[in-house]
Amino acid sequence: LGARTDPDDKHGGITLFLVPLDQPGITIKGMWTMGDERTNEVFIDDVFVHDDYVVGEVGKGFQYISQALDLERFTMFTFSPIKQRLDVLCEHVRTETRDGEPLKDDPIIRQRIAQLATEAEVARVMGLRVVAESMKADEVPGTPPPTVESSQYKLFATEFSRRLANASMD
């Protein structure tokens, strides 16, 4: 998958296209990550791309990339696993003791759990906003993708996951 700008600037924008990897002018160099995963450096030098390989409409590549990033931001931190981790923590607090006293009776722990439960609900509603805006973008031509909502959700969900993990460790 590559991108190009229109040299005649008739369409004004980025165009996405697919390129067969065996095409002359394409060089692929494998790189191994610290996690022992392979990724690639791809060099494209004087490669001709036929119009048949254009993805979608000419000049709409940035919109397609934005939509893909919105989906990635949203799906990286879906609500269900976050809720599962909160449920595990709540169950632990409900059933465990510290120094012979139930954790559930500690007012500081109860306050912290209440705060986390509130933030989980905020994350859930923010996720629903992303879904609602995505549906609107699909149904109403010209409606932009939910870039802002996806970014807000991703940031909140990431930070909430960190706070939940810290609370669980505490």
Side-chain angles (χ1 to χ4, degrees):
L1 182 63
R4 70 176 181 212
T5 55
D6 188 347
D8 300 326
D9 202 34
K10 289 184 277 189
H11 301 285
I14 294 173
T15 300
L16 294 183
F17 55 89
L18 299 173
V19 180
L21 295 179
D22 59 356
Q23 186 122 345
I26 295 187
T27 306
I28 300 172
K29 294 169 90 177
M31 299 183 333
W32 294 94
T33 67
M34 289 174 42
D36 206 27
E37 300 274 334
R38 181 188 167 140
T39 188
N40 296 306
E41 274 185 296
V42 179
F43 299 91
I44 303 173
D45 298 308
D46 294 324
V47 175
F48 174 77
V49 179
H50 193 275
D51 288 346
D52 290 346
Y53 292 112
V54 169
V55 175
E57 294 180 43
V58 172
K60 299 275 186 160
F62 186 78
Q63 179 181 345
Y64 300 147
I65 291 167
S66 293
Q67 289 171 336
L69 288 173
D70 292 342
L71 180 61
E72 181 181 1
R73 287 182 197 108
F74 181 64
T75 59
M76 282 179 62
F77 283 94
T78 56
F79 182 70
S80 181
I82 294 171
K83 178 74 165 90
Q84 288 172 344
R85 290 192 298 273
L86 178 61
D87 289 346
V88 167
L89 176 59
C90 288
E91 183 60 26
H92 176 77
V93 167
R94 214 178 340 291
T95 59
E96 293 299 317
T97 61
R98 180 179 57 202
D99 298 330
E101 298 293 320
L103 290 178
K104 65 182 176 141
D105 293 342
D106 183 320
I108 293 171
I109 293 175
R110 291 172 67 91
Q111 186 277 331
R112 197 157 182 197
I113 293 293
Q115 180 68 39
L116 291 168
T118 302
E119 291 178 18
E121 184 63 12
V122 170
R124 186 183 75 78
V125 171
M126 290 178 84
L128 291 174
R129 271 186 57 209
V130 173
V131 171
E133 291 300 314
S134 293
M135 291 172 65
K136 188 188 308 178
D138 286 345
E139 294 169 1
V140 181
T143 302
T147 303
V148 171
E149 293 83 356
S150 295
S151 296
Q152 289 171 337
Y153 172 79
K154 197 278 184 191
L155 177 62
F156 187 87
T158 301
E159 292 297 312
F160 174 66
S161 290
R162 184 185 54 78
R163 289 190 297 275
L164 179 57
N166 287 341
S168 297
M169 291 301 293
D170 289 348

